[in-house]
Amino acid sequence: MTNETTAPLGNLLRPACVLALIGLLGFGLSYSLVSTGIGNSLFPQQASGSIIERNGTIIGSAWVAQPFASPGYFRARPSAAGYDPMAMAGSNQARSNPAMRQRIDEQRAVTAGQEGVDPHAVPGDLLTQSGSGMDPHISPEAAQIQVARVARERGMPQSQVQTFVATYTEGPKWGLFGQPRVNVLRLNLALDDARSR
């Protein structure tokens, strides 16, 4: 009686263990190694985080927003994560949340005062936080209202700063997806490089 009941169980256990090993090693390990290797060989810069270096020092990543407090720099979108990549998150507040509306109204007044524009002229991306809290891009309109301040603080003609904004405005991905956008870190670094020449 014992042999009859244990023999079929033993016959089922071996294939189940083999299948589990194939799944774990074949798909869990091998697939990860192959796809990582392909990514590193085809897109080495992106696979390493799109890190930007200057004189051997890491400045940041082209895909992670940073705060720029100095008035001579273009500013990124507000961040619910405090620009901390380890705490990426949105605010998770609904549009109907009074705290969110109050924060946006306060941010609108501060930004309008800094840029010397009408509060209703402040683009939404300078008021709202992105879903990740780390969006490195702003809209061309958000860059545009900052041109006068940046030019004044850097002692540059506005037309020259406008040229930098136009140069660093990226179109939709593959001409189809998304909106035109400006990478804030790349734009600020280009302005720094122009000043150092």
Side-chain angles (χ1 to χ4, degrees):
M1 189 81 171
T2 305
N3 287 342
E4 290 176 8
T5 56
T6 56
L9 183 62
N11 289 343
L12 293 174
L13 191 58
R14 185 170 153 246
C17 290
V18 170
L19 184 61
L21 277 174
I22 289 171
L24 182 65
L25 297 176
F27 298 110
L29 179 64
S30 301
Y31 174 77
S32 300
L33 291 174
V34 168
S35 60
T36 300
I38 290 171
N40 282 329
S41 62
L42 294 178
F43 309 102
Q45 211 235 344
Q46 292 91 335
S48 64
S50 298
I51 301 297
I52 297 175
E53 289 186 34
R54 289 288 187 273
N55 302 322
T57 302
I58 294 175
I59 303 297
S61 168
W63 296 108
V64 178
Q66 323 185 359
F68 289 95
S70 170
Y73 287 100
F74 284 87
R75 295 188 178 131
R77 291 183 72 167
S79 172
Y83 301 99
D84 179 1
M86 301 307 289
M88 290 192 329
S91 69
N92 293 330
Q93 292 176 329
R95 295 175 68 117
S96 58
N97 188 314
M100 179 180 175
R101 288 201 304 264
Q102 180 181 352
R103 182 186 56 75
I104 287 175
D105 289 343
E106 290 169 358
Q107 183 67 43
R108 185 187 313 277
V110 168
T111 303
Q114 289 171 340
E115 307 304 342
V117 298
D118 183 88
H120 297 291
V122 178
D125 54 327
L126 291 180
L127 305 174
T128 58
Q129 301 155 341
S130 67
S132 68
M134 302 302 296
D135 190 348
H137 298 97
I138 57 175
S139 66
E141 294 79 19
Q144 195 60 45
I145 71 160
Q146 300 183 62
V147 166
R149 170 181 49 82
V150 171
R152 182 178 64 250
E153 293 293 330
R154 289 179 177 263
M156 297 171 72
Q158 285 191 32
S159 59
Q160 187 178 7
V161 177
Q162 293 268 20
T163 301
F164 276 98
V165 170
T167 301
Y168 285 89
T169 297
E170 305 166 15
K173 193 74 167 173
W174 301 309
L176 297 171
F177 302 109
Q179 300 294 319
R181 61 206 177 280
V182 180
N183 187 293
V184 177
L185 177 59
R186 286 185 168 142
L187 174 59
N188 285 332
L189 289 175
L191 287 166
D192 283 348
D193 290 344
R195 183 171 55 187
S196 65
R197 286 185 205 138

